[in-house]
Amino acid sequence: MSKIIKVGLLGLGTVGTGVYKLLEKQKEKLLLKSGTNIEIKKILVKNKDKERPVDKSMLTDDWQEIINDPEIQIIVELMGGMEPAKGYIVEALQKGKHVVTANKDLMAEYGQEFFAEAESQNVDLAFEASVGGGIPIIRPLKQCLVGNDLTEIFGIINGTTNFILTKMTNEDVEFGDVLKEAQELGYAEADPTADVEGYDAARKLAILSSLAFHSRVTFKDVFVEGITKISSKDIEYAKELGYVIKLIAIGKNTEDGIEVRVHPTLIPNNQPLAAVNDSFNAVFVKGDAIGEAMFYGPGAGELPTASAVVGDIIDVARNIVNNCTNRINCTCYDKISIMPKDEIKTRYYIRLQVQDESGVFASISSVLGNQKVSLASVIQKQINEKNEAEIVIITHVVKEKQLMEALKLISELPIVSEVSSVIRVEDI
Amino acid sequence: MSKIIKVGLLGLGTVGTGVYKLLEKQKEKLLLKSGTNIEIKKILVKNKDKERPVDKSMLTDDWQEIINDPEIQIIVELMGGMEPAKGYIVEALQKGKHVVTANKDLMAEYGQEFFAEAESQNVDLAFEASVGGGIPIIRPLKQCLVGNDLTEIFGIINGTTNFILTKMTNEDVEFGDVLKEAQELGYAEADPTADVEGYDAARKLAILSSLAFHSRVTFKDVFVEGITKISSKDIEYAKELGYVIKLIAIGKNTEDGIEVRVHPTLIPNNQPLAAVNDSFNAVFVKGDAIGEAMFYGPGAGELPTASAVVGDIIDVARNIVNNCTNRINCTCYDKISIMPKDEIKTRYYIRLQVQDESGVFASISSVLGNQKVSLASVIQKQINEKNEAEIVIITHVVKEKQLMEALKLISELPIVSEVSSVIRVEDI
């Protein structure tokens, strides 16, 4: 075994470039920090001839050159997406190479398969950067908090939507306009679907819940709703009622199974998450011993994410040096069922367009009452001269299924012209 | 080696009892979590006959029974204080036993000695519980953030003083009264010196700074000032000026050396630490790659601290199972000087009692001006009929030494009857 641990880097986008820069900057200190020297040997890119701020001799467009290089012990996958990244990771593990990845898409869907392969080959699979950018969260869950039975993990884990919602809240602008601006600034991608529809957060929640509850949760288990339908009007009403709207990811280990959901959520103004703005992320953990703890920091970005990746590389290198790779691998020793969506219990914010006639509110509240939906707050406002009014309701806790049935009946009332918004409310 | 890893527990106070309970509760899961069974074999107490909620056959008042038991592989030191805890830890390490401790007093003074011993014996020394109670912070610094050059670490790391200051702020009561209440509630000890004088926070800061800056910082390096002189009047003025008073621990790695200090501090209302109340703790970290991250949670208490201790025990057990103890030991590979107190630069809040005569403020500001102390805010109020007034000043950044010289000159002015308060101000 070489005294220099050689790394093969897959992908040289934002995070890949950050990792390259950080390893260069830390060059002199890596031996002191990890007990060994660490060097990138090869970098897989699509186009070798593109101008890049790295040593050109490292670049290759041929995966075979990396996977078949016996000197390369750690593969750092930063390409993102499904294929070919998935195939490369599996092949690397099968060849006995350690893998560090920031790929939440893959970890949320194929974590179990990867871990089985890593375990059988006695190699490491590290993925701190897959959730919360630079925030230390994976390792604290696997190590520091392992003495707990964790009951909840929730937070803001998508920077793009938090940037958009923060701007909508502070500047009273609509979703479409902010999205366009975010795309121009590089905070949102050209195809923003994964972020704005909540898929990215749902993948990260699947990873966090698997770790927190020691039971495999995958992307498809998570109930997801994005932020595209949130209007500045809802944000205004929320303010009036003492709430802020955030895209919140919630994982709970309940007696009826694991509840996992990502959706726009009204949270109270004084909840610490209400103050997590722009592209920052924060994750709350609740457990029987710790009570609660919170981890806050930059949820994305070149260097913050590189911080997590390089932390992983150094930790894997320490394991190699100490001959104890595969020291902590898959921690999903339990098998807990996923709670069906209909069974989720929460509170709801509902905005309705109605005819401004006497008895309107009575009809609506009678429908809700029949469905056992009780009300916590109500605002009714005349919105124009045409005899139209807007009613905003916040309910007490109710099962999703019951609420949906009540909403169906309400939308059928002749005096209700539209159910404009339905947003969940959490007093977390 | 036994298939059950046996633990010797030293001390059965609040945290010791918590660790006992938590290991009992987790009994069935320890094998799944750590790869081995873990059991407490013996518990060292002063009085074996006292009624306690544990299996009595484990109790011993004889250290020799524990240290000479070859089955006991991990010593968990939760006695606190200096001796005999220090002697026990050294002896345990010398005998090749792994040590888990929550003892900040010892780690802040003898960390280097302990690590040298652990390294020479190839055993583990874990101390997650020594700072921030249950908050994961030691391991994130040693592992997740190791790719960074960290520049700052600061926060609220003493629960007792934060409880007292929170109560003083919310209920407009004086220090002495709140302290008495805190003692009655068990939030403060009978002898509260270590907490209220800032020594406890200074020890924790020494530990955090050593880890963050990879250079040994000990308790005696830290400039400390306690909260005993803070009056509700200062808290009121701070509010008026948009600040909250907290006991803040600050570590900075500057070009002029490591700056480490603990003192009551005015921080802006909108700084996240301003919202950390009661006995909660929070630690901010700044680094070249991560930018900033924050860790928040319960800073003390039976089960939160036990959460950290049990996390350490499980991690040491994993190292034993994987034959890689001493995997990460002392990380102080650097030797950076400590900045002398006089060189510290910060802003100051100063409250003065003066004669309410024309020209008073002119004389004071002229003295300050001569010493190159410039002013950011000023409040002047008549306080009684006897021609006495109070002046409150917030300065711009100035060196400690210069400020102290200016204060000496001001206190000698005939129109100044008293310099009532001098509190540092940080726009962290």
Side-chain angles (χ1 to χ4, degrees):
Chain A
M1 195 182 296
S2 151
K3 277 186 183 167
I4 301 175
I5 290 179
K6 302 271 168 101
V7 171
L9 194 61
L10 314 188
L12 198 60
T14 307
V15 181
T17 308
V19 169
Y20 181 91
K21 284 186 195 166
L22 198 52
L23 283 175
E24 278 294 305
K25 193 175 174 193
Q26 291 286 321
K27 207 168 192 168
E28 315 282 300
K29 294 178 187 162
L30 290 171
L31 178 63
L32 297 162
K33 288 185 172 183
S34 70
T36 178
N37 286 299
I38 301 169
E39 257 177 31
I40 296 177
K41 187 173 181 191
K42 279 180 189 141
I43 304 171
L44 184 69
V45 292
K46 272 191 202 141
N47 178 357
K48 279 202 300 183
D49 302 320
K50 200 172 134 184
E51 205 49 53
R52 303 173 196 267
V54 305
D55 175 354
K56 280 222 159 188
S57 70
M58 292 181 181
L59 299 179
T60 173
D61 53 12
D62 181 9
W63 163 241
Q64 297 305 323
E65 241 188 77
I66 293 180
I67 187 67
N68 292 322
D69 186 331
E71 266 198 350
I72 291 178
Q73 291 184 272
I74 304 176
I75 298 287
V76 178
E77 186 277 307
L78 304 169
M79 310 165 69
M82 294 311 221
E83 289 295 355
K86 191 200 164 197
Y88 292 169
I89 288 179
V90 172
E91 209 182 330
L93 295 170
Q94 283 170 342
K95 286 229 169 181
K97 296 188 191 291
H98 311 283
V99 171
V100 171
T101 178
N103 196 320
K104 58 219 155 230
D105 304 31
L106 289 177
M107 288 307 298
E109 219 156 320
Y110 303 105
Q112 190 166 16
E113 184 182 326
F114 291 172
F115 278 124
E117 198 59 58
E119 215 153 313
S120 81
Q121 297 294 332
N122 202 32
V123 295
D124 272 338
L125 170 63
F127 53 104
E128 183 65 70
S130 66
V131 182
I135 306 172
I137 180 69
I138 307 287
R139 209 165 262 111
L141 286 170
K142 285 199 165 201
Q143 298 184 263
C144 311
L145 298 171
V146 65
N148 285 261
D149 284 336
L150 297 179
T151 50
E152 290 182 37
I153 189 155
F154 59 90
I156 294 170
I157 50 178
N158 178 272
T160 306
T161 48
N162 203 44
F163 173 85
I164 292 173
L165 289 172
T166 302
K167 238 180 147 59
M168 286 177 72
T169 303
N170 293 343
E171 297 172 18
D172 192 22
V173 274
E174 289 297 346
F175 172 78
D177 300 325
V178 184
L179 175 61
K180 210 179 286 169
E181 194 190 329
Q183 285 171 319
E184 281 161 15
L185 288 168
Y187 288 125
E189 297 189 45
D191 176 0
T193 315
D195 289 318
V196 299
E197 294 297 351
Y199 305 152
D200 174 85
R203 288 177 181 122
K204 291 168 178 167
L205 179 63
I207 296 170
L208 289 178
S209 302
S210 299
L211 290 164
F213 310 138
H214 301 287
S215 179
R216 182 66 50 194
V217 178
T218 64
F219 173 52
K220 68 175 192 321
D221 294 326
V222 182
F223 166 65
V224 195
E225 203 178 282
I227 65 162
T228 55
K229 286 184 216 148
I230 301 297
S231 79
S232 63
K233 211 165 198 179
D234 295 316
I235 290 176
E236 271 310 305
Y237 277 117
K239 259 187 212 168
E240 204 174 324
L241 292 156
Y243 292 88
V244 177
I245 301 181
K246 296 281 188 187
L247 184 73
I248 304 286
I250 301 173
K252 291 185 189 176
N253 191 4
T254 77
E255 285 187 0
D256 304 316
I258 291 175
E259 181 182 336
V260 268
R261 49 194 167 103
V262 168
H263 48 67
T265 312
L266 275 76
I267 57 169
N269 266 331
N270 60 356
Q271 217 289 341
L273 290 177
V276 175
N277 287 323
D278 304 321
S279 59
F280 278 89
N281 281 198
V283 178
F284 263 92
V285 174
K286 291 192 182 179
D288 60 345
I290 183 75
E292 65 174 35
M294 199 249 272
F295 304 81
Y296 165 91
E302 183 190 74
L303 287 174
T305 312
S307 162
V309 173
V310 171
D312 274 353
I313 294 173
I314 291 178
D315 219 52
V316 171
R318 283 167 170 159
N319 283 348
I320 296 174
V321 169
N322 287 284
N323 218 349
C324 60
T325 56
N326 189 30
R327 194 181 77 97
I328 309 173
N329 230 314
C330 183
T331 51
C332 289
Y333 53 75
D334 214 340
K335 213 165 178 171
I336 309 171
S337 63
I338 303 293
M339 183 190 285
K341 183 200 160 195
D342 281 353
E343 299 298 309
I344 290 171
K345 285 182 202 144
T346 184
R347 299 171 64 204
Y348 292 82
Y349 158 102
I350 302 159
R351 181 160 60 90
L352 305 167
Q353 311 303 315
V354 298
Q355 301 302 313
D356 197 3
E357 291 168 10
S358 67
V360 168
F361 187 67
S363 333
I364 291 169
S365 56
S366 132
V367 170
L368 289 170
N370 288 340
Q371 297 295 317
K372 304 245 162 26
V373 181
S374 68
L375 307 186
S377 321
V378 175
I379 299 175
Q380 178 161 357
K381 280 187 185 168
Q382 196 183 349
I383 49 170
N384 59 25
E385 312 287 299
K386 283 192 241 154
N387 211 25
E388 284 174 0
E390 193 157 54
I391 291 182
V392 168
I393 291 167
I394 291 188
T395 74
H396 284 301
V397 172
V398 55
K399 263 197 194 169
E400 176 94 11
K401 196 180 167 185
Q402 262 171 292
L403 194 276
M404 290 305 151
E405 276 163 18
L407 278 179
K408 190 168 169 287
L409 295 174
I410 284 175
S411 69
E412 284 163 0
L413 290 174
I415 38 106
V416 171
S417 46
E418 192 188 53
V419 178
S420 307
S421 308
V422 180
I423 309 174
R424 288 161 192 84
V425 180
E426 290 280 338
D427 300 305
I428 38 181
Chain B
M1 196 181 295
S2 150
K3 276 185 184 171
I4 302 175
I5 290 178
K6 302 272 170 103
V7 171
L9 194 60
L10 314 187
L12 199 59
T14 307
V15 181
T17 308
V19 169
Y20 181 90
K21 285 185 196 165
L22 199 52
L23 283 175
E24 277 296 304
K25 194 176 174 192
Q26 291 284 321
K27 208 169 191 169
E28 315 282 299
K29 295 179 187 161
L30 289 169
L31 177 62
L32 297 162
K33 288 185 171 182
S34 70
T36 178
N37 286 300
I38 301 168
E39 257 177 31
I40 295 177
K41 186 171 181 192
K42 280 179 188 140
I43 305 173
L44 184 68
V45 292
K46 271 191 201 141
N47 179 358
K48 277 202 302 183
D49 302 320
K50 201 172 133 184
E51 206 49 54
R52 303 171 195 266
V54 306
D55 175 354
K56 280 221 159 187
S57 71
M58 292 180 180
L59 298 179
T60 175
D61 53 12
D62 180 9
W63 163 243
Q64 297 305 323
E65 244 188 75
I66 293 180
I67 187 70
N68 292 321
D69 187 330
E71 266 198 352
I72 291 178
Q73 291 184 271
I74 305 177
I75 298 286
V76 178
E77 187 278 307
L78 303 170
M79 311 165 69
M82 294 312 222
E83 289 296 353
K86 191 200 164 195
Y88 293 168
I89 288 179
V90 172
E91 211 182 328
L93 294 171
Q94 283 170 344
K95 285 228 169 179
K97 295 187 192 293
H98 311 282
V99 171
V100 172
T101 179
N103 196 321
K104 57 217 154 230
D105 304 31
L106 289 178
M107 289 307 299
E109 218 156 319
Y110 304 104
Q112 190 166 16
E113 185 182 321
F114 291 172
F115 278 123
E117 198 59 59
E119 215 153 313
S120 82
Q121 298 293 333
N122 202 33
V123 295
D124 273 337
L125 170 62
F127 53 105
E128 183 66 70
S130 65
V131 182
I135 306 171
I137 179 70
I138 307 286
R139 208 163 265 112
L141 286 171
K142 284 199 166 198
Q143 297 184 263
C144 311
L145 298 171
V146 64
N148 285 260
D149 285 336
L150 296 180
T151 51
E152 289 182 38
I153 189 154
F154 60 91
I156 295 170
I157 51 179
N158 178 272
T160 306
T161 47
N162 203 45
F163 174 85
I164 292 172
L165 290 172
T166 302
K167 237 180 148 56
M168 287 177 72
T169 303
N170 294 345
E171 298 173 19
D172 193 22
V173 274
E174 289 297 346
F175 172 77
D177 300 324
V178 185
L179 175 61
K180 211 179 285 171
E181 194 191 329
Q183 284 171 320
E184 281 160 15
L185 288 167
Y187 288 126
E189 298 189 44
D191 177 0
T193 315
D195 289 318
V196 300
E197 294 297 352
Y199 305 151
D200 175 84
R203 289 179 181 120
K204 292 167 178 166
L205 179 63
I207 297 170
L208 289 179
S209 302
S210 300
L211 290 164
F213 309 138
H214 301 285
S215 179
R216 182 65 52 194
V217 178
T218 65
F219 173 52
K220 65 172 197 319
D221 294 327
V222 182
F223 166 64
V224 195
E225 203 178 281
I227 66 162
T228 56
K229 288 185 215 146
I230 300 298
S231 79
S232 63
K233 211 164 196 178
D234 295 317
I235 290 176
E236 271 311 302
Y237 277 117
K239 258 187 213 168
E240 203 174 323
L241 292 156
Y243 291 89
V244 177
I245 300 181
K246 296 281 188 188
L247 184 72
I248 304 285
I250 301 172
K252 291 185 189 177
N253 192 3
T254 77
E255 285 188 359
D256 305 317
I258 291 176
E259 181 182 336
V260 267
R261 50 194 166 103
V262 169
H263 49 65
T265 313
L266 275 77
I267 56 170
N269 266 330
N270 59 357
Q271 218 287 342
L273 290 177
V276 175
N277 286 323
D278 304 321
S279 60
F280 278 89
N281 282 197
V283 178
F284 263 93
V285 174
K286 292 191 181 180
D288 59 347
I290 183 74
E292 66 174 32
M294 199 250 273
F295 304 80
Y296 165 92
E302 183 190 75
L303 287 175
T305 312
S307 162
V309 173
V310 172
D312 273 354
I313 294 173
I314 292 178
D315 218 53
V316 171
R318 283 167 171 160
N319 283 348
I320 296 174
V321 169
N322 287 284
N323 218 347
C324 61
T325 56
N326 188 31
R327 194 180 79 96
I328 309 173
N329 230 315
C330 183
T331 51
C332 289
Y333 54 74
D334 214 342
K335 213 165 179 171
I336 309 171
S337 63
I338 303 292
M339 183 191 284
K341 183 202 158 192
D342 282 354
E343 300 298 309
I344 290 171
K345 285 182 203 147
T346 183
R347 300 170 64 203
Y348 292 84
Y349 158 102
I350 303 159
R351 180 160 62 90
L352 305 167
Q353 310 304 314
V354 299
Q355 302 302 312
D356 197 3
E357 291 167 9
S358 68
V360 169
F361 187 68
S363 332
I364 292 168
S365 55
S366 130
V367 170
L368 290 170
N370 289 341
Q371 296 296 318
K372 304 244 162 22
V373 180
S374 68
L375 306 188
S377 322
V378 176
I379 299 175
Q380 179 161 356
K381 280 186 186 169
Q382 197 182 349
I383 50 169
N384 59 25
E385 311 289 294
K386 282 192 244 160
N387 210 24
E388 284 175 359
E390 193 157 56
I391 292 181
V392 168
I393 292 166
I394 290 190
T395 74
H396 284 300
V397 172
V398 55
K399 262 196 196 171
E400 176 92 11
K401 196 181 167 185
Q402 261 171 295
L403 195 274
M404 290 305 152
E405 278 164 16
L407 278 180
K408 190 166 171 289
L409 295 174
I410 284 174
S411 67
E412 285 164 0
L413 290 174
I415 38 104
V416 172
S417 46
E418 194 188 56
V419 178
S420 306
S421 308
V422 180
I423 310 174
R424 289 160 191 85
V425 181
E426 290 281 338
D427 300 305
I428 39 182

